[in-house]
Amino acid sequence: MSFQPVKFYQTGTFTVGNRLLPPEERSVQSQEKRYNSINSGHRACQGCGEALGARYAIDAAMEATNGRLICANATGCLEVFSTPYPETSWQLPWIHSLFGNTAAVATGIAAALKVKRRQGERRNIRVVAQGGDGGTTDIGFGCLSGMFERNDDVLYICYDNQGYMNTGIQRSSATPPAARTATTMAVGPEPGNVFGQGKFLPAIAMAHDIPYVATATVADLRDLEAKVRRAMEFEGARYIHILVPCPLGWGTASHETIRIARLAKETGIFPVFEAEHGEVKSVVAIRRALPVEEYLRPQKRYAHLFGKTPQVEVIAKLQALADRNIKKYGLLDGGAR
Ligand SMILES: Cc1ncc(C[n+]2csc(CCOP(=O)(O)OP(=O)(O)O)c2C)c(N)n1
Ligand code: SF4
Ligand SMILES: [Mg+2]
């Protein structure tokens, strides 16, 4: 079958228009036989970055494993909106773990599959674990670090919306400084979340020297698909950390999810890169660093920075964090220095 060459710049959307491209260049979602691993009908908020990220990530993992995938899912928005008993949106073997033990449950599944293979099972079934930033960076961190350290054959995906959204927008250790949450209110001399706390889990994952670590956002879904595909090429522990804006918790319009995620990347506040065995191998370069204010201003969780007296010093401290990422990961010239 021959394909019409694409003669114009625009190659279309992620779905129908992609069919103009040669098959190897099309996104997983553009394929007629995409897996629809998380199907329509779930109850995520309109514009939920987590729902979008999960759809692309798990479908890409399904594609990479020819549909031979088992998924363990921590408690959190993704689990709650997709599986209100007795319904489910998932169209793959899927297990709800506790809030804090997803990595351990996935490890157990991977161990059982290993035994089955030793007993002659021919199908190579792989395991993915997924959870929110709270389930990953806080309560599930011990199990996850153990999974990394043992190099268990699991791909762990963290959907980072920077707070405990499912239970009413409380702070997690991935909540950025100055952001307002239900437990870091915009009151007092230093409104919002404090500076100097929290953790960037991709760097901690890299410190375990696991085969593959990557970050991504829902603004570049092709990059996300490619990273999931790449992750599935490795045996052992792998980690992908996806920034997924949450319209409810961040106070953004539903139709702004992609733009906000893109601004996180283009300002440098969220570095997008991939690493193998603890070394950064590639970064997604930013064309020109946008001021961090462009990312902060549309989000109501930062509204207290832009009141009658703009908090210029706080904004400057956030800009410094973005600048540090740009330098550390070489985001302007496409490679770590
Ligand atoms: C041991 C335990 N503590 C607390 C909870 C309540 N709980 C359920 S989901 C959740 C927050 C989830 O946050 P996150 O992992 O970031 O996922 P999100 O909802 O933001 O996607 C909390 C505190 C629980 N289910 N189990
Ligand atoms: S609260 Fe946020 S993460 Fe949860 S479903 Fe709504 S938009 Fe998604
Ligand atoms: Mg969260």
Side-chain angles (χ1 to χ4, degrees), residues 50 74-81 96 98-100 131-139 158-170 172 244 246:
E50 192 163 81
T75 310
C77 266
L78 179 59
E79 165 267 321
V80 168
F81 71 61
H96 172 209
L98 297 176
F99 185 27
D133 51 293
T136 306
T137 69
D138 292 336
I139 190 170
C158 172
Y159 301 99
D160 180 10
N161 54 22
Q162 305 186 331
Y164 289 22
M165 299 317 182
N166 177 55
T167 41
I169 316 164
Q170 294 87 13
S172 80
V244 290
C246 163

Side-chain angles (χ1 to χ4, degrees), residues 72-76 79 95-106 130-132 135-136 139-140 143 156:
N73 202 139
T75 310
E79 165 267 321
I95 181 168
H96 172 209
S97 68
L98 297 176
F99 185 27
N101 71 347
T102 322
V105 168
Q130 54 182 359
T136 306
I139 190 170
C143 291
Y156 190 103

